[in-house]
Amino acid sequence: MNNPKLNSTTHVVLGNQQLQAKIQVLVCDDDPIFLEQLIQKTKSFLISQNLKPVIHAFPNAEMVRPSILKGCDIALLDIDLANQQSNGMDIARQLREVRKDAIIIFITNFIEYAPEGYEVQAFRYVLKREVHTSLLPYMQQALEQMRIFRKILKIRVSGEIISVPLEDIVYFEVQQHDVTVHLQTANCEKDTNAYRFHGSLSDLEQELEPQGFLRIHKCYLVNMRHVKKFQCREALLDNGVLLRVSEKKYAEQKKKYLLWKGWK
């Protein structure tokens, strides 16, 4: 694996890029009254954000066509669809196959389903009894997440500027004064999924914490959207890497992670 040295300071380009005016939302719930409530709440909120919502609503998971999934930006899915062969989790799996960046929010009566959401990188869970208070704040967070997908980390490698999307960064690892950034996918041109550079993990933490990055150990700064499990003083990432979490700060960092996931 190539790990070129960085010759100058790493910096994050956050920018103020705007979302596309048109935003497509998939809503699926087997309760027609509740489904209509979700439609109206979602539409009103997105219009208030100067966006043009296109909402695809279905009472049955099997009615969701592949063409809808390909265009989906945000999905509001009931996990447990009664008396149906498919459920919200099945839709989420299909969605992840065609849209890695779609925001998935599960709306359910049963929080026990939450662990299954790791598989599809669910963004938030909303209990149906709390939808009136929780849905709109989570939708606001979803829009912020979509803006983060447009942000990049710029690094200089052998005199060349390399741009890395923030969502593609799985974690940073420091060894002495060298920081390695591990990516989810390899840069096709450079044939590498990691870059090493001289830098400070503390500086990166300060810059990236508001973007969903968490310092779990003195050696590791992780992108929380790539964390599958956070337990037993370990963090399992979606690329299969298992990282140690600082024993002294484990409780504090897990609380931050759960708050970021929207769990109390």
Side-chain angles (χ1 to χ4, degrees):
M1 177 186 296
N2 265 335
N3 284 326
K5 286 276 189 174
L6 181 71
N7 296 324
S8 63
T9 304
T10 302
H11 61 285
V12 179
V13 179
L14 299 177
N16 292 308
Q17 300 182 61
Q18 298 297 315
L19 296 175
Q20 295 292 327
K22 186 170 108 172
I23 184 168
Q24 298 199 47
V25 182
L26 167 63
V27 185
C28 188
D29 194 286
D30 59 354
D31 182 335
I33 296 177
F34 189 77
L35 180 63
E36 184 60 30
Q37 291 175 350
L38 288 178
I39 294 169
Q40 294 306 318
K41 280 182 174 294
T42 302
K43 182 182 294 184
S44 297
F45 171 74
L46 293 175
I47 290 174
S48 75
Q49 301 298 303
N50 298 316
L51 297 170
K52 298 177 181 178
V54 176
I55 298 180
H56 306 278
F58 301 96
N60 189 308
E62 301 195 8
M63 298 172 65
V64 181
R65 302 183 303 277
S67 59
I68 298 295
L69 296 176
K70 288 181 181 179
C72 177
D73 297 305
I74 299 175
L76 307 177
L77 306 174
D78 184 2
I79 297 181
D80 184 27
L81 299 172
N83 302 317
Q84 296 187 24
Q85 292 184 350
S86 301
N87 57 30
M89 187 61 67
D90 295 320
I91 297 176
R93 292 189 184 102
Q94 295 170 33
L95 177 58
R96 273 290 167 258
E97 291 179 1
V98 295
R99 285 292 301 269
K100 300 296 183 184
D101 61 339
I103 303 293
I104 298 173
I105 298 177
F106 283 123
I107 301 176
T108 178
N109 284 316
F110 308 102
I111 199 62
E112 291 81 5
Y113 285 117
E116 296 184 47
Y118 285 120
E119 177 187 345
V120 294
Q121 297 177 310
F123 181 66
R124 294 289 184 269
Y125 291 83
V126 183
L127 290 174
K128 285 194 172 182
R129 64 175 180 270
E130 298 176 357
V131 72
H132 297 294
T133 57
S134 298
L135 180 61
L136 297 189
Y138 287 170
M139 287 291 292
Q140 181 67 60
Q141 293 170 20
L143 295 183
E144 291 303 316
Q145 179 82 346
M146 292 174 68
R147 292 185 179 99
I148 287 173
F149 283 150
R150 292 167 171 252
K151 296 174 184 176
I152 58 174
L153 176 79
K154 282 192 175 183
I155 58 178
R156 186 181 297 276
V157 179
S158 301
E160 181 182 358
I161 298 296
I162 304 294
S163 297
V164 181
L166 286 192
E167 80 271 16
D168 200 33
I169 297 173
V170 182
Y171 72 104
F172 295 91
E173 177 182 11
V174 66
Q175 293 178 327
Q176 296 182 344
H177 299 294
D178 285 338
V179 175
T180 302
V181 54
H182 297 270
L183 310 179
Q184 185 179 41
T185 56
N187 183 311
C188 295
E189 294 181 3
K190 303 300 178 182
D191 191 28
T192 180
N193 62 354
Y195 292 103
R196 189 174 68 245
F197 56 91
H198 186 75
S200 165
L201 203 61
S202 295
D203 290 345
L204 287 165
E205 176 189 6
Q206 183 177 358
E207 194 77 50
L208 294 174
E209 186 176 28
Q211 312 306 319
F213 285 73
L214 181 67
R215 184 78 173 269
I216 64 169
H217 189 276
K218 66 180 182 179
C219 296
Y220 306 122
L221 176 67
V222 302
N223 186 342
M224 287 189 282
R225 60 188 61 84
H226 289 295
V227 175
K228 291 185 67 176
K229 292 184 180 180
F230 198 110
Q231 61 187 24
C232 301
R233 296 184 175 83
E234 293 178 327
L236 176 63
L237 309 182
D238 58 11
N239 64 353
V241 172
L242 189 65
L243 300 177
R244 289 178 298 149
V245 179
S246 171
E247 185 173 347
K248 290 183 179 179
K249 296 186 177 182
Y250 176 75
E252 176 187 351
Q253 301 304 72
K254 183 166 186 179
K255 182 179 179 180
K256 288 182 180 180
Y257 171 69
L258 293 177
L259 285 173
W260 183 84
K261 292 290 289 184
W263 302 342
K264 301 178 181 179

